[in-house]
Structure formats: structure tokens, C-alpha cells
Amino acid sequence: MTESEQRDDAAVAGWASFDDFVRDRSVALQRFAHLLTGNAEDAADLVQEALTALYPRWERVSGAGDPEPYVRRSIVNSRITRWRRVPERPATDPAVLDAAVADAQAAVADADLFGRLFATLPARQRAALVLRFYDDLGFAEIARQLGCAEPTARSLVHRALADLRTRMPRRGHD
Amino acid sequence: MTEDSHDLDTRRAERAARTWFAGRAAATDFQPLDPEALRHAGLARRRRWAGAGLAAAACLVAALVIVPLALRPGLTSGPIPAEPAPPAGFEWTTTAPSPLSPRFGSLTAWLDGGFFLVGGWEGGPCPPMALCDMMPPTLTDGARYDPSADTWTPIADAPIGLGRDYGNTAVVGGTLYVLSFAGEGSVLAYTAADDQWREVATPPVLGRLVGGDALHLVVGGDAATGYSYRPEADAWTAWPDGPLDGCTDVQGFAAGSRILVLAACGEYPDPDLRVSSYDPAGRTWDEPLPLGAEVSGPALYTAGRLVWPDPLTPAAASLPSEGSFDTTTGQWRAVDASATPGPLAFRGLVGSTPHVVLDRLGLVAANGRFLEAGTAAWVDVPVRPGPERWDPVTAAGTASLLQCFGYEYADDSYTDSSPVEGCQLLARPDGDDQTLPPAPPDPTNGPTGPNAAWQPVLEGVDPVPTDPLLVEAGGRFYLMGGHHLTDSLDDVQVSDVRRFDPATGQWEALADLPEAAVSRPYTLAADAVGDLLYVHLSFEERGELWAYDTVADSWTRVGPTDETEHYLGTEDGLVRFRLLGEGGTDPAPQILTDGTWTDLPAPPEPSVPATRVVRLDDHHLGLVSGGRVSVLDTASGTWGEPSLPGEVGEWTVAGVDGAVVFVDAAAGEREPTDSRGPEVAILRDGEWSYVMFPLGADAAPAGLAPLSGVASGHRLVVNGRLLDTRTGEWSGVPALPGSDPSWQARYVAGGEPGLLTCYPASTQAGETAVVPACYFLRLP
């Protein structure tokens, strides 16, 4: 059973309590936050912050359905707020990137490049990419997680990919 | 089929994404978080947001059902902190010896800077949960304790025995009133100034006294909901019919000059709890607020909130515990009711007996400790030194607690059948001064108390104009122009100009609108630059710009305008932009200072044409192009770099307190259970943040919904609520007086003092009714 299937099952069953939700989902949420931030400590902080904010609202949020989208959105939004305190990593000069990846194995080099470019994307685009290419969610589910319309979810992913495509160095295709 | 390079690049980017994510995820090993720590942190964080001055710590442990006889701290079997949570600066001190004999069940009050204890019963003990005080109280003597001097002063004996459950008290100025249920009932008044008791008129029915600016009584049931005492006539007057007539379990609380009344309305077993505010001076009621929850037992009121102590104990864990209820916004704040009883529990403060409110600190006693009503955070208190005592006489001051006598208790039994001597005071050593939260705001001012309301400031306008200009400048509001249809269906220009000053509450007639060389009726827009109010008068595509001198009360023509021009003022001058939309690039703006137009640099080249301009503060304007904003410093005439794009669509834009705020106006119309993303995006100092519309929020009260874009200071009206753009916190806005859900506030202006709205309208069954009045809402 995939992680998303596990989550879906639990969401349908309903979380018995805030404590159960934290015990069952906090690892996955930390992983999600880690992919957004690139820093494990930041990730733990963000998830703690989001769950801390959830606790007083637990009855209302869980009563309205699966609380995980609410928490993910809190993580994404608090990530945005954190930008005000922690300067964003500056965008990397494409010319420098070209030189850096020139002699690396193609797929690994692309992944490494992706990681550096990923850090420069807006938070919601990052979140959409994580949900799409790590959690393997469909656009309808991405929309539910991020609290937006499905076309918006598609747009977030496609805009992000378009941005990456323009910044990836051209090379011969297989 | 051959894939094009676009598709290949896309697949390459996708593959790179998957590889990188998988690698990152595999490189870390996270552990599940600790739910208990998160719960602690949640409550502690709420205190920081509320700006509480108390350095309190939440003392939460796993919930247990506690048997009353095992209420002493340390006897619970669940996990408890190894160290007691640090108290919020409270300390116990033993007072000077009391002149009163040890007793239980005295009536207590805080009056004239001191604690008053009077009456009670001798003997005992009265074990927990027992009903010992069923016979009328026998004691009539009393004493006053002055905590500032640590002195006791006996007071005159009451004419009859007084005690808890046989009466209740209220304080009005320097007079203590006691309603005694003994016999057929009587009301006694004790005045501290002359140390005298006297009997005053008995109300038509017995109920509960409420003291504020005057003495009142709340009753409920078939009688009037309440009565007010008129000392000059020594008589009681029934309140007028109100929204809580016929309701039961009525409780009343003094809230400034008004009385907050809580009652259960509707049929048992599902009564509907409601709260309404009664104004004794005007003899008027506010529209009741439904609580939307079932809560049991007596309520306590402080800091604008109602708290029910009884459900907040492990023994009552099966009872619903919504938390604290904000009587202005109608919002609940959850309270964790799972805490082991605190040190005060053993002294009878487990539930609501006796009721203890430290009003200056916004604290109520519940579950053996204090609860901060505003933040719903628990405040621990230190264990009182000395042997444990059950059921002492407890008196609440505004910021301290006095406890006297009680029964020694050890190993689940009483060691003595008589109360013991002595009193202790629980207070902060530095008094209730700078380090404490401010006293709850006077609810007669501002929207934070139950009296927050739109005040009518202009009534009987005839005729009521359509499309007047309502604008704030320099802390005052200008209402000008508009038009109306005569009986002969002529559309006539209204040339009146008036100014409203919130500081005085007065309107002033000013010089009429000028005669512009455009057709009437004018469409008006205005913006302020210092003492000048620049007003754009237009009719279709033609217009003129005039400057109104708010000091000289005179108009000066500036010049003709065209429809592509947008004018915005800062303290540096009036800036003119030409926004051509899709039709072309935007030429450089110009600024008008001292009657002369000067060119400013062109804005940075945007990827899409600019569509809107907003005023950010006294020296900055924001030019909006899609989701990007370029800021013009009008003092230096320089542009900043365009911001990163925000996650916004064609949202409403406003400049508020130096920030650009985008509002998804459709957000508030969605169902609260819809999962939705941020509805407000705020760009401040180049950084974006997002705020979600309150989850589960009820529909905004009639009047201001769905209005968005009006600002007051750093607050923005969004879908009928106020958003603090600095903190992201939401607060409610009261409904317009007498409004129903169809009311719409058509013309609204905001400024530092508050919001002004004129001529609200309601459309029902195709008929539109316009109120010929203006209303002002003062904001703190």
C-alpha cells in the first residue's frame, strides 16, 4: 500500500484524536516539509508549528474532513512567512550551472540541477511539485491538498516545469 | 510519432524531479512528533499572540477522572510534570489575624479596595459534595480586609444571617447589596462610608443581582428578564420586552454601562443558549448572539468573554467544553479541559463554587487554577504553604484572592471538625501593575466589547443621494455630491458637501461642489494630499480635477482630465498615471506639487501592462502588473524593483499600512467546509504572505459583506470581517443597527478612527429601501 493509499484509508476512517493524527502522519509531513525547505531542522520546525496551530482547531478541522490538507497548507504558508526571516537562496546563474554539470552523469546531473532550481521557486509551486512527483498524486488530489481548484493545481505544476525547462541547459535528446 | 523537444524537455524535468525528491527523502530519517508537546506548545503560543504579560506556563497532563475525595495534588495516577509549572508571579502570604471566628459559607465581595466577608455558618465540616448549608445561615458579623495595609476592620453586623446559597451580592460604587433568600426575601445595602446596613425595596421576584453603574436583577422565565433599581425612588423597574423574554437559566454580568445577559431559550432538552446586551440608559437590547453550543453550569465573564468552569474538569470530561466565548465576535476559543486539578481545587475551586473572577487580570478560577479568558490559557498557582484545607471562605478581588479558615484534611479524612484559624492572600508581589495584561477594554468603546456597535451619526437626510462620495482625509470624513431623482424623474445633482469629525461626533456643512465644465450629475473620486483633497469630477469620458482646501473651505480648479488617468495622492503630491491596459505601455507618471506637474521616471518594464495603482503609505504608491508590484517612492521619485509574483489572480487590490493586499473576493462565499487556499495575499517589504479566511467562520454579519477593500489603519475589511494585515488575525464587525441579511452597506470609508457608512439599502421582494442615515464604528 502506498503512502497516499494509507492516508486515504485513514482519512476515510477518520482520525480518532489529534494524538493519533500526529503519531500517524507527522513523519510524512516532515518529509513533505523537508522536500520544500531542503533542511531537516527547518522541516521539523515547520511541521511542529503547523500542528501546534492545528491543535486548538482540531475539532473543527477534523470535523470538516481530512485534516491533512489543512496542515500541508499551513506548512506551505508558514514556509512563506519564514522567508521574511530567512533570506531565500539566490537564484543560480545558468552559466554557472552549465559549467557545474558539464561532466556529470546526465540523469544525476539533471536531478542535482533540479534541486538547485527548485529552491528558487515560489512555495506553492514547490508544494505542487512535491505532491506530483514525490507523492504521485493526481491533480484533483493536489488541488484538495493545496486548497485550490484543479486547473490551478495543473497550472502550478506546469508553470514550475516550464520555468525549469527554460533554465535547464539544452543538450541532445534520447 | 516523433516527440517534439518541448515534450522531451518536460519528461526530462519530470524525471529530474522524481530522482531528486527520492534522493532527498531517502537521506533523512524522521521520527514521529510528540502530541503532548504539541498540545503544550499550542496553548503557549496562543498566549504570545494575545500579548499576555503573564509569564505563565500551561500545566497539562494526560486526562484522568478524579474522584472528589482524591483532589489533592499528587494523588493522581497520570503523568504529571516533575516540577510544578512556574506560577504567573502569584505568591501566598499569611494575613494579619482576622477578627472573625472560623466559619464556612460566608458571603464575600470586593468593595472600596478591600475584601468583605460577612455571615456564614459555624461548625462543620461540610465534606465535598455534601449539602451542609441547607439551614439558614446563622452568622451576621463581618469584616473588611485591606490587602495594601494588611489590616482587618470589623464591620457592622448585618440585620439577618447571610451566607452562600442563601443570597447573592453585587457592588455598585461604594455600596454592597445583598439579596437574601431567607424568608420571603429581602435586599440589604451596606455602605462602607458610614458602616451602615439598611433594607431597600425588594424586587417583585427574586433572582440574581448584577452591579455595574447601577443595581440590576436578572430573573428569566415568565417574568421580565430583568429589573433595574432606582435608589431615588427606592423602587424596581422592569426592563422592556427583549429578545430573551421567556428564556430560563438567566445570568447577568456587568459590562461597562451595559448588562450582558445569557439565557437558555427554546425547548428542553435542547435549549438554545443566547447572549444579548442590555443598555439600561436607553432601555434597549442588542440583537442576541447564539452561542451555537451546549454548555452547562454557571458562566463567568471577564475580558469580554464567557467561560464555563464546570466542564473544565476531568470529572466532567463527558460534558461539552467549547472553551471561552467572545461576546463580540461570537467566536469560541477552545480550552483544554484535561488538566489535573490545580492547587486551588482542594479548596473548593474545582468547579464554579465559589465563582472567582480576577477581573483586572482577565482570569477565572476553574479546575483548581486560573484560566485566562482571553487566550484560553491555563495559569498555574503555587501550592499554598501549610496543611491542606477544604472549603475555605474565598473572596475574589480584582487581581488577588483571599482565603480564610477551611477544614484540615489529611489521608482522606478530616482531622478536625471545626474550621481552622487564619487567612492567606494569593497575589502578585508587585501588585497588578505594569507586568500584567492591561485591564479589559471598556466595552462601551470600540468593537472588542459587547457594546461594540455602529452609532448613528446622521439621520433624517432628505433626499437621500445616490452615489455620493464618501472619503476619509486627515482623520475626518467627507460626504459630498451624488444625485437623486425628483418626482418629475429629473436626475438632479446634489451639491452638498459635509464633513464628519469622529472626535466631536459633529457634522459641518462646507462649501458646495464647484461648477465643473462637465455634464451633471458628476461621478466623483478623491484623494488627499496634506490639507488638500483632490476631487475628480467626471461624466462619462470627460472630467475635471479640482482641489478642495480643507482648511480654507475653498475649491480651486486644477485642469481637465481624461479617462485613462488615475490619480493618487501621498504626502509628497498628487501622482497621475495613465493606465492604457492592453492597449500599450504606460508612460511615465507625473506628480503635482505646488501647482506644477513634474515628470517622474517610468516604472520598470512589466511583463504585462499595469492595471491598478494603490497608495501604500504617506510616501509610496504601488503599481500592479499581474501578480507583480512595483513601488514608487514619491519623495525621491524612484522605483523599486518589481516584486516576485504572488499567487494571485484578478483579485481586488488595496494598499494598507505600507503593504499591497490582494483579496480573492469570492473566497468568503464558499462553504466553510470547502478546502481552499489562501484568500488574502499580502506583499510587504518584498515578501509575500498568505492568510486564509477563517475556517468554519459563519457568514459575516449583515451590512459589510461582501465588501472588501476598505481599510482602517492596518486593518482591512474583507467579506464583512476585519483583517489585521500585520498579524493575520481576524476580528468580527457588528451588524448595522436593525439590519437583516439583505442589508448592504453601499458607501463606506475607513480611516484611523474607524469606519463610516452612509445610506445602507435593503432589497426584498423587488423593493429597495434606503436608510437615510450614516453610522460610525469606532475602532481601537
Side-chain angles (χ1 to χ4, degrees), chain A residues 19-34:
Chain A
D19 286 14
D20 286 345
F21 177 76
V22 170
R23 279 190 281 267
D24 290 352
R25 299 304 300 158
S26 57
V27 171
L29 290 168
Q30 288 175 88
R31 230 177 263 132
F32 171 73
H34 179 232

Side-chain angles (χ1 to χ4, degrees), chain A residues 3 28-40 42-43 46 72 75 79 89 114-115 118-119 123 126-127 129-131 133-135, chain B residues 17-28 30:
Chain A
E3 186 171 297
L29 290 168
Q30 288 175 88
R31 230 177 263 132
F32 171 73
H34 179 232
L35 293 174
L36 286 186
T37 64
N39 179 289
D42 277 354
L46 284 174
R72 286 190 188 246
I75 291 169
R79 168 69 183 141
R89 277 199 303 174
F114 171 86
F118 178 77
R126 291 202 223 178
L129 289 176
V130 170
L131 295 173
F133 299 118
Y134 177 70
D135 285 329
Chain B
R18 292 183 195 284
T19 304
W20 190 78
F21 285 143
R24 295 291 299 183
T28 55
F30 289 105

Side-chain angles (χ1 to χ4, degrees), chain B residues 527-528 568-573 614-622 631-635 655-660 684-685:
Chain B
D527 211 0
L568 279 175
T570 69
E571 291 301 300
D572 304 306
V614 293
R615 182 182 189 279
L616 304 189
D617 57 35
D618 288 346
H619 301 285
H620 296 89
L621 300 176
V631 176
L632 172 64
D633 183 327
T634 54
V656 183
D657 187 43
V660 184
R684 186 187 295 278
D685 299 327

Side-chain angles (χ1 to χ4, degrees), chain A residues 19 26-27 30 34 38 52-53 55-56 60-61 73 80 110-111 115 129 134 136 147 165 169-171 173, chain B residues 6 8-10 12 18 20-21 24 28 30-33 35 39 42 45-46 332 336 676-677 688 690 695:
Chain A
D19 286 14
S26 57
V27 171
Q30 288 175 88
H34 179 232
T52 296
Y55 173 61
R60 288 185 178 80
V61 174
R73 289 200 299 277
I80 295 167
D110 280 351
L129 289 176
Y134 177 70
D136 278 318
R165 277 200 312 272
R170 304 290 291 171
R171 61 164 69 100
H173 295 293
Chain B
H6 176 277
L8 288 170
D9 282 342
T10 300
R12 183 179 158 204
R18 292 183 195 284
W20 190 78
F21 285 143
R24 295 291 299 183
T28 55
F30 289 105
Q31 299 302 315
L33 297 177
R39 283 188 271 109
R45 189 176 98 158
R46 198 188 289 120
W332 286 93
D336 185 341
R676 58 190 189 274
W688 287 95
Y690 297 85
L695 191 70

Side-chain angles (χ1 to χ4, degrees), chain B residues 234-606:
Chain B
D234 189 27
W236 293 85
T237 304
W239 291 354
D241 292 347
L244 303 179
D245 288 354
C247 299
T248 59
D249 297 331
V250 177
Q251 303 174 63
F253 310 93
S257 61
R258 302 174 71 95
I259 306 298
L260 192 73
V261 183
L262 171 70
C265 308
E267 297 294 324
Y268 181 86
D270 296 313
D272 168 29
L273 284 177
R274 300 176 196 167
V275 62
S276 180
S277 166
Y278 174 69
D279 174 16
R283 292 176 58 79
T284 56
W285 288 91
D286 278 353
E287 284 301 308
L289 262 182
L291 268 63
E294 292 178 34
V295 282
S296 66
L300 302 178
Y301 174 76
T302 186
R305 288 180 172 268
L306 290 166
V307 179
W308 284 256
D310 280 352
L312 298 178
T313 65
S318 61
L319 299 177
S321 172
E322 290 291 332
S324 81
F325 179 77
D326 186 324
T327 56
T328 301
T329 65
Q331 301 293 315
W332 286 93
R333 180 160 280 173
V335 175
D336 185 341
S338 61
T340 301
L344 295 176
F346 195 69
R347 294 159 194 84
L349 294 183
V350 177
S352 59
T353 303
H355 298 186
V356 167
V357 176
L358 304 189
D359 203 35
R360 286 197 58 184
L361 304 182
L363 300 178
V364 304
N367 202 22
R369 43 173 58 84
F370 293 128
L371 181 76
E372 201 167 19
T375 62
W378 290 101
V379 175
D380 211 350
V381 297
V383 175
R384 197 186 73 173
E388 299 287 9
R389 300 185 186 191
W390 173 252
D391 197 18
V393 172
T394 300
T398 57
S400 55
L401 188 73
L402 180 71
Q403 289 197 318
C404 294
F405 319 128
Y407 300 87
E408 287 200 359
Y409 195 87
D411 299 325
D412 294 344
S413 67
Y414 295 100
T415 61
D416 201 319
S417 59
S418 296
V420 297
E421 300 266 3
C423 300
Q424 285 77 33
L425 180 73
L426 179 65
R428 295 176 57 91
D430 55 355
D432 39 359
D433 288 323
Q434 303 81 10
T435 56
L436 293 174
D442 181 348
T444 58
N445 290 319
T448 56
N451 191 36
W454 292 89
Q455 301 298 323
V457 295
L458 182 66
E459 293 177 285
V461 175
D462 184 30
V464 176
T466 301
D467 295 330
L469 174 68
L470 185 57
V471 64
E472 182 270 349
R476 295 180 292 185
F477 294 85
Y478 294 81
L479 176 64
M480 62 179 74
H483 55 100
H484 71 95
L485 277 182
T486 64
D487 292 339
S488 52
L489 301 183
D490 293 324
D491 201 3
V492 175
Q493 173 73 52
V494 174
S495 297
D496 297 345
V497 178
R498 309 175 204 240
R499 176 167 61 200
F500 173 69
D501 186 345
T504 63
Q506 300 297 315
W507 286 89
E508 184 184 354
L510 303 175
D512 281 357
L513 284 180
E515 294 278 344
V518 297
S519 299
R520 294 183 165 211
Y522 309 133
T523 298
L524 299 174
D527 211 0
V529 178
D531 292 332
L532 295 179
L533 188 62
Y534 286 97
V535 181
H536 184 218
L537 293 79
S538 64
F539 186 89
E540 295 179 351
E541 72 279 5
R542 294 192 58 196
E544 283 192 348
L545 185 67
W546 287 74
Y548 172 72
D549 189 321
T550 61
V551 175
D553 188 25
S554 62
W555 292 88
T556 305
R557 183 178 183 274
V558 177
T561 65
D562 74 55
E563 61 184 343
T564 67
E565 291 169 348
H566 293 246
Y567 294 87
L568 279 175
T570 69
E571 291 301 300
D572 304 306
L574 185 72
V575 182
R576 175 169 65 195
F577 291 85
R578 291 179 188 276
L579 300 182
L580 305 179
E582 299 292 333
T585 57
D586 303 321
Q590 295 176 305
I591 187 166
L592 177 66
T593 51
D594 298 324
T596 303
W597 288 101
T598 306
D599 289 338
L600 291 172
E605 190 69 29

Side-chain angles (χ1 to χ4, degrees), chain B residues 120-142:
Chain B
W121 289 263
E122 293 176 303
C126 190
M129 313 302 283
L131 297 174
C132 304
D133 37 311
M134 292 180 66
M135 299 303 294
T138 54
L139 298 177
T140 60
D141 60 336

